[in-house]
Amino acid sequence: MEYMKEFVAYCRKLLRFLDKLEKALDNNDIETAKELVKELKEDTQKDIEA
């Protein structure tokens, strides 16, 4: 059951990132979008290694 809580938390975090990414892209803010993707990749890598 603990894994399910962790998965749900990850999904919520992912959704927040995707919302920010979508807003940046809607505003043609490519630099912010790139930073968000970079941050998401780094966080995901850390989660995998944990």
Side-chain angles (χ1 to χ4, degrees), residues 14-34:
L14 176 60
L15 187 56
R16 285 192 298 271
F17 265 99
L18 293 173
D19 284 340
K20 290 178 186 179
L21 180 58
E22 182 178 42
K23 287 176 186 174
L25 292 171
D26 285 346
N27 293 325
N28 291 320
D29 188 353
I30 301 304
E31 290 306 314
T32 298
K34 286 181 180 180

